[in-house]
Amino acid sequence: MQKQTFKKLFLIIALSFSVAAVANFSQAQPTFAKEKITKVSSSKKQLVDVIFRPKSQPKLTQFVYDSVNPNRSQYQKFVSPKQFASQYGQPTKNINRVRNYLKKHHLSSVLYSGNLVLAVKGTAKNVEKAFNVKLENVTEGGTTYQKATKTPKLPKSSSKSVLAIMGLSNYSTVSSNRQTIHPASLQTRAAGDVSQSEMTKRYSPAKFANRYGVSQLYSNGSTGRSKTIGIISFANYHPSDAYRFWNGMGIDVKANRLSTYRTNGYKGSWDGYDETTIDVEQAGAIAPDSNIRTYIGKSDITGMVNSIAAAVGQNVADSLSLSWGQSESQVAYEIKQGVTPKQYNQIMNLLFQQAAAQGMSVFSASGDNGAYDGISNGSTALGVDTPANSPYLTAVGGTTLPRTYTVNNKTVKIDKERAWGSEFLYPNYKNQKFFGFENWAQTFFAGGGGGFSKFNGLPKYQSGISGVGTYDATRLWSFKDGKVKLLKKPVNVSGKHSGRNVPDLSANADPNTGYAVFVTPKKDASATGEWEISGGTSVVAPQMAAASVLMASNGAGRLGFWNPQIYRFARQSQSPFTPLDSRTNNTNLYYTGQPGKLYNQASGLGTVDFSKLDKLFNPIN
């Protein structure tokens, strides 16, 4: 039974992968057949979050939009965490009532700035008494996780101010040395056959800078000086790897630009360290004079919430990058099973609203399994990733760049940038076999995440944008009778759908046209190390976060919440976006372009020219 509920949205290229064209698909969502139940030790340390309601959700939402609307008096008048707490967070007296109650039960607590999240620590015995629950260990399929026997409660005097209580279940934590936040599709090819000069020429971050107009920002003196990029991650990394990468790429950076915050004192894991490494390397390369602050938390939903709450509460980062996530289908299943709070989506949105109110620009990778975000967890339904599904951040999708391939002994030429999807490589896959469903799914379903959210409705900035809410698609697969089958003849379909449309914009994410990464072994930063070629939408998220601080350093201050602004820019005659609107050879494994329309679910608004975007964000310059 698969316990890995978070995934790392990251690819390292393998040029020789392939798979059978038809596979048995008996792995539906896992059942929770309980094999063994034991009581949690009364002395076991616990971390529980109490999430508070905002003072006024409508007023907070209005301010988030007004803060980036030049026609409103609140335009660019971003608040500090202290001001946010006073204006939109739960009143301190209500929070203190909860803290005093918890203190009577010998539980300590730390309040993140903003008055939304209270992290509570103590023994299982005291947690059970305070929240009126019983904690049990459930063992199934060789894996053990903790679960509360019923919904936690606080006294009635405090319950009205509380939105949710989370952390009593650790279903998403590490078990048997297995990391729960894992690659959406991790394949590896060392770059030993590529010379250093070829590496810097073909796979340097300069490719992003040159292709998308970032180089012009450098010419204007924008390097990210005095700005900070925050990286939300769940694994350690070697800072020396990043410095060796920048040096190898010929990028001059200052010393001591890196810092790490360990959420809740978490010492960290090395599983998934390659993701943290590439996030830091790419962000630091695109904004060479910026500071990089990494938030490393425990790999579960409580760790995710606390790391975001810490980053937003500290208010040090001008932009945030998230390259990890879960499919909406997996989250929905865990909510149904009672191991994830039903308010989880609302909690994430609330934290991103706080970030927006403070002027922080947040970017999240949209996923690397195309339109089938839950495929690696056994879901064949169309779906999108969370937190990229949030209306209060910028979801970053993927493209692939022009390149010529040999596919089944024939030449296949990608002559222009298109949505990232691996379907043009399928003829190479039919003769090779893979060991298990997950490798099969991850290989065949490689593409930029995109589609419609089932958790979040249509945000008003997407309303009225041509292509939003409608779709053109090419159905490549049938899912029937427990089998996944590649259709001999693809079927074109079109229609309408509701919900938040994902992604918002895209850039090169295909590992076949990707970027260099330098890593050393987990336990030996002094080793020779290895250059690899990487891709995935998680590469693009830190690049976008870095480009954002470049434009912010070229203006008066923070750029704030991107989306209401970029969708407004997309309507203008001098739009900074190039829609990838072709109906053919332009799919994320289902959705395609919509000819003549500004938006599609394969690539969002398309690619961006940052030199043009900078002039719109900073019209005075």
Side-chain angles (χ1 to χ4, degrees):
M1 175 178 174
Q2 185 170 341
K3 293 295 182 184
Q4 296 174 308
T5 57
F6 275 6
K7 61 182 176 294
K8 178 170 58 140
L9 306 175
F10 174 58
L11 292 169
I12 298 181
I13 187 171
L15 294 181
S16 61
F17 51 70
S18 56
V19 81
V22 179
N24 289 329
F25 190 90
S26 58
Q27 183 182 357
Q29 290 285 7
T31 60
F32 278 68
K34 298 179 180 178
E35 297 178 358
K36 182 181 178 181
I37 298 176
T38 59
K39 191 179 185 314
V40 173
S41 170
S42 61
S43 60
K44 183 180 179 182
K45 300 297 183 182
Q46 301 287 319
L47 171 65
V48 182
D49 277 353
V50 177
I51 312 296
F52 293 100
R53 299 181 186 276
K55 186 180 296 183
S56 172
Q57 183 66 69
K59 289 183 179 179
L60 171 57
T61 301
Q62 187 63 51
F63 177 77
V64 165
Y65 278 90
D66 288 348
S67 69
V68 290
N69 185 341
N71 297 320
R72 295 290 187 269
S73 60
Q74 294 91 346
Y75 179 55
Q76 292 186 339
K77 292 182 180 179
F78 306 121
V79 297
S80 68
K82 184 177 180 179
Q83 291 171 324
F84 180 91
S86 175
Q87 297 176 33
Y88 306 109
Q90 188 62 213
T92 301
K93 65 177 181 179
N94 294 341
I95 294 175
N96 286 340
R97 185 182 298 118
V98 174
R99 299 186 76 173
N100 290 334
Y101 168 79
L102 296 172
K103 188 176 181 179
K104 290 179 181 179
H105 286 81
H106 309 290
L107 299 174
S108 62
S109 60
V110 175
L111 180 66
Y112 291 104
S113 188
N115 285 19
L116 294 178
V117 179
L118 183 71
V120 181
K121 292 183 179 181
T123 64
K125 178 181 178 180
N126 292 330
V127 164
E128 287 179 324
K129 288 182 178 179
F131 294 101
N132 192 29
V133 296
K134 293 295 182 183
L135 301 178
E136 60 185 23
N137 292 317
V138 181
T139 300
E140 53 180 354
T143 301
T144 299
Y145 63 94
Q146 180 179 295
K147 184 180 178 181
T149 58
K150 55 184 178 179
T151 303
K153 293 182 179 179
L154 286 170
K156 288 184 178 180
S157 60
S158 299
S159 59
K160 289 184 179 181
S161 62
V162 174
L163 173 63
I165 299 168
M166 60 184 296
L168 294 170
S169 169
N170 65 356
Y171 175 78
S172 303
T173 56
V174 175
S175 175
S176 301
N177 296 318
R178 294 181 64 190
Q179 180 74 6
T180 59
I181 304 180
H182 64 96
S185 185
L186 181 62
Q187 297 126 3
T188 304
R189 176 173 82 91
D193 58 334
V194 180
S195 66
Q196 180 67 38
S197 61
E198 190 70 7
M199 181 68 68
T200 57
K201 180 180 178 181
R202 292 178 56 191
Y203 301 105
S204 166
K207 176 164 59 177
F208 176 89
N210 294 334
R211 185 169 191 89
Y212 300 115
V214 175
S215 297
Q216 288 91 318
L217 302 184
Y218 300 147
S219 299
N220 294 334
S222 298
T223 57
R225 189 176 296 106
S226 78
K227 298 297 181 180
T228 298
I229 303 167
I231 305 290
I232 304 294
S233 198
F234 299 88
N236 296 321
Y237 77 106
H238 297 304
S240 57
D241 286 0
Y243 286 105
R244 291 168 72 177
F245 172 80
W246 297 321
N247 182 64
M249 288 288 136
I251 301 171
D252 185 25
V253 301
K254 62 183 179 182
N256 302 320
R257 67 186 304 210
L258 303 178
S259 63
T260 298
Y261 177 83
R262 298 191 177 277
T263 307
N264 304 123
Y266 180 59
K267 294 182 179 180
S269 167
W270 285 94
D271 292 323
Y273 80 112
D274 46 2
E275 175 62 66
T276 311
T277 302
I278 196 170
D279 286 357
V280 172
E281 289 179 354
Q282 290 296 319
I286 300 303
D289 283 335
S290 66
N291 296 313
I292 311 292
R293 186 163 178 80
T294 307
Y295 294 83
I296 298 178
K298 195 174 182 181
S299 57
D300 58 21
I301 59 172
T302 307
M304 172 75 87
V305 166
N306 286 5
S307 285
I308 296 172
V312 175
Q314 290 176 9
N315 203 31
V316 172
D318 300 283
S319 67
L320 280 179
S321 173
L322 297 94
S323 293
W324 310 69
Q326 297 170 283
S327 66
E328 282 192 344
S329 61
Q330 182 67 23
V331 173
Y333 186 77
E334 292 180 11
I335 290 173
K336 184 177 180 181
Q337 298 302 324
V339 294
T340 292
K342 61 182 180 181
Q343 302 91 345
Y344 179 61
N345 181 70
Q346 188 178 354
I347 294 166
M348 296 292 278
N349 285 343
L350 188 55
L351 289 172
F352 295 133
Q353 282 189 304
Q354 182 183 345
Q358 295 170 191
M360 301 170 73
S361 304
V362 184
F363 303 85
S364 181
S366 69
D368 298 336
N369 290 126
Y372 300 92
D373 192 73
I375 193 74
S376 294
N377 290 326
S379 172
T380 59
L382 297 169
V384 298
D385 204 78
T386 174
N389 66 341
S390 174
Y392 299 103
L393 55 68
T394 302
V396 182
T399 69
T400 186
L401 300 182
R403 181 173 173 175
T404 299
Y405 300 84
T406 300
V407 179
N408 201 24
N409 296 318
K410 296 181 180 179
T411 297
V412 173
K413 185 176 182 180
I414 305 301
D415 57 4
K416 61 181 180 180
E417 189 167 11
R418 49 153 287 181
W420 174 34
S422 61
E423 83 286 349
F424 61 90
L425 296 174
Y426 282 176
N428 274 354
Y429 298 166
K430 63 180 181 180
N431 296 320
Q432 292 192 20
K433 297 180 179 179
F434 275 73
F435 302 97
F437 165 77
E438 187 173 351
N439 287 333
W440 183 88
Q442 290 173 356
T443 298
F444 242 122
F445 290 85
F452 299 90
S453 172
K454 295 179 180 178
F455 285 12
N456 295 297
L458 186 73
K460 63 181 182 180
Y461 55 77
Q462 287 189 324
S463 179
I465 299 291
S466 63
V468 168
T470 64
Y471 66 88
D472 286 340
T474 299
R475 186 159 62 86
L476 303 169
W477 300 89
S478 70
F479 305 97
K480 187 177 181 181
D481 299 328
K483 292 183 178 181
V484 179
K485 185 177 182 180
L486 182 63
L487 300 178
K488 292 182 179 180
K489 185 176 180 179
V491 178
N492 293 330
V493 295
S494 60
K496 298 180 180 180
H497 207 288
S498 61
R500 194 278 206 246
N501 287 225
V502 177
D504 296 305
L505 46 78
S506 296
N508 174 38
D510 186 349
N512 289 290
T513 58
Y515 300 92
V517 57
F518 178 80
V519 292
T520 53
K522 298 178 182 179
K523 297 182 179 180
D524 188 5
S526 65
T528 301
E530 183 174 76
W531 288 92
E532 297 172 346
I533 301 170
S534 62
T537 55
S538 66
V539 175
V540 189
Q543 290 174 332
M544 290 286 180
S548 182
V549 301
L550 291 178
M551 292 184 291
S553 66
N554 197 31
R558 290 180 172 180
L559 300 182
F561 181 26
W562 268 39
N563 289 12
Q565 303 178 85
I566 64 175
Y567 279 88
R568 184 170 70 246
F569 298 156
R571 298 172 185 257
Q572 299 179 9
S573 59
Q574 297 298 316
S575 170
F577 301 102
T578 300
L580 304 182
D581 63 351
S582 175
R583 185 70 173 77
T584 59
N585 299 317
N586 185 38
T587 168
N588 74 335
L589 307 183
Y590 184 75
Y591 298 106
T592 69
Q594 300 186 72
K597 296 184 178 181
L598 296 178
Y599 183 92
N600 63 74
Q601 297 76 27
S603 57
L605 295 172
T607 60
V608 58
D609 182 329
F610 284 101
S611 64
K612 292 182 179 179
L613 185 60
D614 178 52
K615 291 181 174 63
L616 293 170
F617 271 129
N618 301 298
I620 298 177
N621 297 323

